[in-house]
Amino acid sequence: MTSVKEFLIETEPTTTGYGRGRFVFTDQYSVFDWGAMPDQIPHKGTSLCTMGAYNFELLEENGISTHYIGVVRPSKAETTTIDNQSSDESDHITTDPCSLDACSTAPTEMAIKLTQVPALPYDDGAYDYESYHEAGGQNYLIPLEVVFRNSVPIGSSLRDRKSPQEYDIDADAWPSNPVELPKPVIEFSTKYEEQDRYLDREEAERIAGAASIDTLEELAVSVNRIITREAEKRGFVHEDGKIECLYHDGEIILADVVGTFDENRFGYNDQEVSKEVIRQQYKQIDPEWVSAVTDAKRQAKIQDVADWRGHCDRSPTPLPQPFINTISDLYAAGTNAYVDTQWFDENIQEF
């Protein structure tokens, strides 16, 4: 179980061969690396699965290899209760995967090729990537996130780490409104460390193991270009996003999920359409918890310990129900608009 989706294994991967499994998307969400939050957001799981499948199929059509096999067509029994998003494994259906357009209702399960994800030891204040790669052999999930940025929206970490001048923007400080970058920016960050951190190219290359940093960057540029083009067709502005990849016998394959409102940030009619809306809401309704998370991460770093949550003395408050309803409509209506198909109830407020 990840913070937002279940992970089902059908066949285990080996040091040389793929396994097979499924993502089961739930209505849970996570912000500030907390893990599962106290609420659930209706339609979120089906939105992520549908939008992710659409983008995987789009990328495959454009010559990009992915770990995507297909989606699992919801059964009639399941579609009557799809909003409940049951996580009982006995409810998962076992039909063969199919393309998205073979489904009559929005799916919640995605069939994928599996690679190895070795343990990442932490000892004496450092993560042992040599052990990770030794266990991974020629078939492993690359422990990096490759981030691409077309603009610098509100909430972007780039505002805290870099100055506008570093990107040829004529300003002493970042403006309060989103800023378009002169050209896309590619960055690398850690994937499995308790606190994500951005890396220089040399360290990213070490962490990637046998995988080529140049190839990862080229893949991120291609994915960004295709999703940006698709978003523009539907009236969206594609602000930023990330990819995760696996390495298999000399080849780099796109993995995880790509181009959803969780992995990427989009704008629509000058409004943010992504999980960033939830982050900003928590800064308003529960600033004490947001501050406690920041302090806990700082203390863990000072003490050279991996688990920062043990230093956090607060838990997040639930979101107000009217806001949950609004965010639910955002995910559902946004997916309808991006995929250009009425996957969700016609009573949902459309974009």
Side-chain angles (χ1 to χ4, degrees):
M1 182 73 188
T2 68
S3 57
V4 299
K5 56 184 179 284
E6 296 177 23
F7 187 52
L8 303 181
I9 299 174
E10 296 175 0
T11 58
E12 294 275 1
T14 68
T15 56
T16 57
Y18 290 123
R20 183 162 170 152
R22 298 187 183 190
F23 286 145
V24 182
F25 293 81
T26 74
D27 286 341
Q28 294 179 318
Y29 68 97
S30 174
V31 290
F32 304 115
D33 303 321
W34 182 259
M37 299 291 281
D39 315 291
Q40 293 196 14
I41 299 173
H43 304 302
K44 182 176 181 291
T46 44
S47 165
L48 298 187
C49 186
T50 301
M51 203 167 170
Y54 180 87
N55 281 318
F56 272 137
E57 293 177 10
L58 173 69
L59 292 166
E60 292 271 7
E61 290 171 5
N62 282 271
I64 293 178
S65 298
T66 80
H67 74 161
Y68 173 79
I69 298 173
V71 291
V72 178
R73 186 186 294 110
S75 66
K76 291 182 179 180
E78 187 182 20
T79 56
T80 61
T81 58
I82 197 164
D83 286 344
N84 293 331
Q85 297 278 310
S86 171
S87 61
D88 184 345
E89 187 167 342
S90 65
D91 290 341
H92 300 319
I93 52 184
T94 57
T95 56
D96 292 333
C98 61
S99 63
L100 184 61
D101 62 10
C103 296
S104 58
T105 57
T108 60
E109 294 192 28
M110 180 184 293
I112 56 172
K113 301 172 188 174
L114 296 185
T115 188
Q116 297 184 111
V117 184
L120 179 59
Y122 184 83
D123 190 32
D124 292 332
Y127 288 92
D128 186 354
Y129 283 100
E130 288 187 7
S131 293
Y132 182 95
H133 288 298
E134 184 177 351
Q138 292 293 305
N139 186 31
Y140 64 91
L141 192 66
I142 301 167
L144 291 172
E145 293 183 352
V146 190
V147 179
F148 43 81
R149 304 183 188 278
N150 302 312
S151 64
V152 188
I154 304 303
S156 172
S157 67
L158 204 67
R159 292 174 176 263
D160 299 323
R161 296 182 289 106
K162 303 285 186 176
S163 68
Q165 293 92 337
E166 292 179 76
Y167 299 102
D168 298 325
I169 296 171
D170 186 16
D172 293 330
W174 290 105
S176 58
N177 55 293
V179 178
E180 186 174 348
L181 290 165
K183 62 180 181 179
V185 171
I186 306 297
E187 295 187 291
F188 298 93
S189 73
T190 55
K191 164 68 179 171
Y192 289 118
E193 297 183 7
E194 286 290 331
Q195 297 190 54
D196 294 337
R197 57 191 178 94
Y198 285 89
L199 309 165
D200 61 30
R201 198 174 187 86
E202 182 178 357
E203 187 170 14
E205 190 168 16
R206 178 181 65 83
I207 289 175
S212 164
I213 286 294
D214 290 339
T215 302
L216 284 169
E217 185 173 47
E218 291 166 4
L219 182 58
V221 169
S222 296
V223 170
N224 180 36
R225 182 177 62 250
I226 293 166
I227 292 179
T228 298
R229 185 178 62 210
E230 193 71 10
E232 288 175 349
K233 286 166 54 178
R234 312 300 186 198
F236 289 89
V237 175
H238 183 216
E239 297 171 338
D240 61 31
K242 68 176 178 67
I243 60 171
E244 298 174 21
C245 301
L246 63 86
Y247 178 87
H248 178 255
D249 195 24
E251 188 177 10
I252 292 176
I253 305 294
L254 196 63
D256 196 55
V257 185
V258 66
T260 75
F261 296 135
D262 271 15
E263 278 73 29
N264 298 51
R265 279 188 277 211
F266 298 86
Y268 193 97
N269 288 340
D270 297 324
Q271 297 294 317
E272 184 66 31
V273 185
S274 74
K275 191 172 68 171
E276 182 62 32
V277 177
I278 306 175
R279 294 191 191 97
Q280 296 303 320
Q281 177 73 359
Y282 264 103
K283 290 180 180 180
Q284 295 181 33
I285 68 168
D286 199 355
E288 294 85 2
W289 171 69
V290 175
S291 178
V293 167
T294 302
D295 291 343
K297 290 180 178 180
R298 185 183 303 114
Q299 286 299 316
K301 188 172 184 179
I302 291 172
Q303 297 179 26
D304 275 339
V305 295
D307 184 12
W308 59 268
R309 291 169 188 80
H311 294 271
C312 191
D313 58 1
R314 297 183 68 94
S315 296
T317 59
L319 291 168
Q321 188 60 48
F323 182 79
I324 291 176
N325 296 340
T326 298
I327 293 298
S328 175
D329 282 355
L330 179 149
Y331 275 94
T335 300
N336 282 348
Y338 183 88
V339 180
D340 196 28
T341 302
Q342 191 74 23
W343 286 106
F344 295 92
D345 195 296
E346 61 183 10
N347 294 322
I348 289 174
Q349 184 176 353
E350 294 298 318
F351 280 17

